[in-house]
Amino acid sequence: MKLHNFNSGPSILPQPVLQQAAEAIINYNNTGLSLLEIGHRTNWFQEILQEAIASVKQLMQLDDSYEVLFLHGGATTQFMQVPMNLLDSNATAAYCDNGIWGNKAWKEAKHFGNVAVVADSSDKQYRYINKDFSIPDGASYLHITSNNTVEGTQWNQYPTIDIPLIADMSSDIFSRPTNFNQFDLIYAGAQKNMGAAGVNLVVVRKNILGKIARPIPTIMNYQKHIDAGSLMNTPPVFAVYVSMLTLRWIIENGGLAEMGKNSLQKSTLLYNTIDALPIFNAPVVKEDRSEMNAVFFLNDPALEEPFLDLCKQEGMIGVKGYRTVGGVRVSMYNALPLESVQIFCDLMHSFAQKHG
Ligand SMILES: *Cc1c(COP(=O)(O)O)cnc(C)c1O
C-alpha cells in the first residue's frame, strides 16, 4: 500500500534527498568512506557546510549583516540560547504566546531576565493569533512563533516594530517567499521542513550580539560559533548533510516561490474540503489558518476514532491531533505531494457520505 506521510515532525523528506543520504552513509561521493566516518574538518565536510550556508543565504536573500549557523539541539535549545545571548538579567524581553511552543519559549527566557507576554491567545485555546499588543519601553526584543505547529495557526503578516524581531520558524521555514531581512534572529529545528533531527538553523544579524553583561558559556555563545564558522566542536555532520540536500532540492524545484505556490494549493484544497463537509469543522480563525498544519475535528466526537481508523487502513500516516489538542492534524510540508492531499480529501468525502 502506498503511504501518505502527514507527520508533524520529524516529517516527510523529498525522495531524492533520502536516496542520496542513504548512499552517503555507505559511500560518500565515491570516496570509499561513509559520511559518518569522515572528519568534520575535511574539505568534504567543508563543502557540505558551505553549500548549506550559501543555500540559506540565497533562499532568504540575506544581506551581509547576517550570519548563518548550524548548531546542535532542537528548537528547544534555542528557547534558552536566545535569551542567554540577548537578554540581560535586569532587562525585559517581549514574547507572543500564541501556542504551546511560544509558551515554552517565554518560560525558558524567564531563567535569564524579565519577560513581558505581550499577546496571548490561550483564552481561546490558541485558535487564533493575537496580534493586538504593545511592547514595553526598552524591551530587548520581540519573540514570535511564525507557525504554531500544534494548533495550526500561522502569521501572515509579521509585526513591524523598532526592536529586534526574533522568530521560531521551525515548522514553516522555506515554505513560501518571506522578507527574511525584517528579522534579526531566526531559528528552526531542521526536522520539519528542512532535514533530519539533530540540527538547528540559526540566522542572526551580527549587530545584535555582544550587548549584554552576562558571561555566556562557549558552546552557547552565538558569537563564538560565528568566529568558528559553525565548527567550534563536531557538528551533527549527517543532519547538516540532509539539510544541505533538502536546501538544494528546494532550489532545484523552483525555490520559495514554487514552495509557496504548492503550500497554498495543498492547504486551500484541504480547507475547502473541510469547509464543504458539515461533519468536519476547523475551529481556527480563518485568517490565521496555517498552510503547514491543518487542525480539524469531527462534529460528532464519536466519529473521530472511526475516521482515524480509516486513515490508518488507507495508509494516511500521522494525522492524529497533538495529544493535548485531539482531533485531526494534517501536516503539509514542502516534500508532501499534492496528490497525497487529494487522496486524503477523497477519503474525507467518502467518510462524510457514509456518516453524514
Ligand atoms: C517542533 C517545534 C519545536 C521543538 O523542536 P525540537 O527540535 O523538538 O526542540 C519548537 N518550535 C516549534 C514551532 C516546533 O514546531
Side-chain angles (χ1 to χ4, degrees):
M1 179 177 45
K2 178 161 169 45
L3 300 180
H4 299 276
N5 186 350
F6 299 99
N7 274 329
S8 59
S11 41
I12 187 166
L13 287 169
Q15 206 56 42
V17 168
L18 296 178
Q19 203 73 45
Q20 290 170 74
E23 281 161 18
I25 287 197
I26 303 298
N27 179 4
Y28 174 65
N29 244 353
N30 291 320
T31 54
L33 294 169
S34 165
L35 177 64
L36 303 183
E37 52 186 12
I38 60 171
H40 58 289
R41 297 189 194 279
T42 56
N43 283 340
W44 293 319
F45 185 68
Q46 270 301 331
E47 279 173 16
I48 293 168
L49 183 60
Q50 290 317 315
E51 181 177 339
I53 292 170
S55 299
V56 169
K57 286 190 171 162
Q58 181 187 334
L59 286 168
M60 291 189 164
Q61 299 185 309
L62 298 176
D63 62 45
D64 288 338
S65 59
Y66 290 91
E67 291 285 345
V68 175
L69 300 170
F70 284 88
L71 305 180
H72 284 276
T76 306
T77 308
Q78 294 307 309
F79 295 168
M80 146 183 86
Q81 197 165 355
V82 164
M84 190 187 278
N85 279 268
L86 299 171
L87 179 59
D88 249 323
S89 54
N90 56 0
T92 299
Y95 276 74
C96 289
D97 179 351
N98 286 311
I100 69 147
W101 292 118
N103 180 273
K104 284 181 202 274
W106 72 254
K107 286 182 175 156
E108 290 301 300
K110 277 180 59 162
H111 292 294
F112 300 95
N114 303 312
V115 168
V117 176
V118 293
D120 177 348
S121 62
S122 61
D123 59 333
K124 296 214 167 77
Q125 297 164 275
Y126 291 131
R127 286 171 173 175
Y128 70 109
I129 299 232
N130 187 340
K131 309 167 199 95
D132 180 23
F133 56 80
S134 61
I135 294 170
D137 279 348
S140 304
Y141 59 81
L142 173 69
H143 179 285
I144 66 168
T145 312
S146 59
N147 181 72
N148 293 288
T149 328
V150 168
E151 298 85 0
T153 62
Q154 186 175 24
W155 285 82
N156 284 309
Q157 206 172 1
Y158 299 113
T160 314
I161 51 172
D162 53 12
I163 59 171
L165 179 59
I166 295 180
D168 173 1
M169 292 198 182
S170 294
S171 52
D172 67 351
I173 189 125
F174 302 129
S175 67
R176 57 185 180 183
T178 302
N179 173 13
F180 293 98
N181 290 284
Q182 68 194 299
F183 295 92
D184 295 274
L185 191 146
I186 294 165
Y187 63 89
Q191 71 272 20
K192 298 198 172 111
N193 220 7
M194 210 188 83
V199 70
N200 268 324
L201 170 67
V202 175
V203 171
V204 58
R205 198 192 286 277
K206 281 173 278 189
N207 68 3
I208 66 169
L209 300 175
K211 297 201 167 150
I212 63 163
R214 169 184 309 109
I216 305 167
T218 312
I219 191 69
M220 286 290 123
N221 191 322
Y222 292 130
Q223 187 60 54
K224 293 267 167 68
H225 281 287
I226 292 171
D227 298 344
S230 285
L231 285 173
M232 177 195 293
N233 67 332
T234 317
V237 168
F238 184 67
V240 172
Y241 182 62
V242 177
S243 286
M244 184 279 277
L245 292 175
T246 309
L247 292 160
R248 188 190 279 173
W249 177 87
I250 293 173
I251 291 170
E252 287 173 355
N253 284 276
L256 301 191
E258 199 61 25
M259 299 299 124
K261 227 173 74 189
N262 295 341
S263 298
L264 183 63
Q265 204 179 3
K266 288 181 279 183
S267 56
T268 303
L269 173 62
L270 181 61
Y271 285 118
N272 283 347
T273 306
I274 298 166
D275 293 342
L277 297 173
I279 70 163
F280 298 104
N281 80 84
V284 163
V285 169
K286 276 195 180 156
E287 66 171 38
D288 297 332
R289 282 175 169 180
S290 166
E291 289 181 2
M292 294 282 101
N293 316 93
V295 172
F296 62 97
F297 295 83
L298 286 109
N299 284 323
D300 176 2
L303 287 179
E304 185 175 308
E305 209 181 300
F307 180 69
L308 290 173
D309 284 345
L310 178 68
C311 289
K312 208 175 201 168
Q313 276 167 35
E314 298 293 321
M316 308 291 155
I317 306 295
V319 297
K320 193 173 162 53
Y322 191 77
R323 58 197 144 80
T324 56
V325 175
V328 185
R329 173 175 52 171
V330 173
S331 298
M332 298 167 280
Y333 298 119
N334 285 342
L336 184 81
L338 174 64
E339 186 205 5
S340 290
V341 180
Q342 282 163 338
I343 292 173
F344 185 81
C345 290
D346 291 346
L347 195 68
M348 291 173 73
H349 275 288
S350 61
F351 186 85
Q353 214 152 37
K354 198 162 150 208
H355 297 277

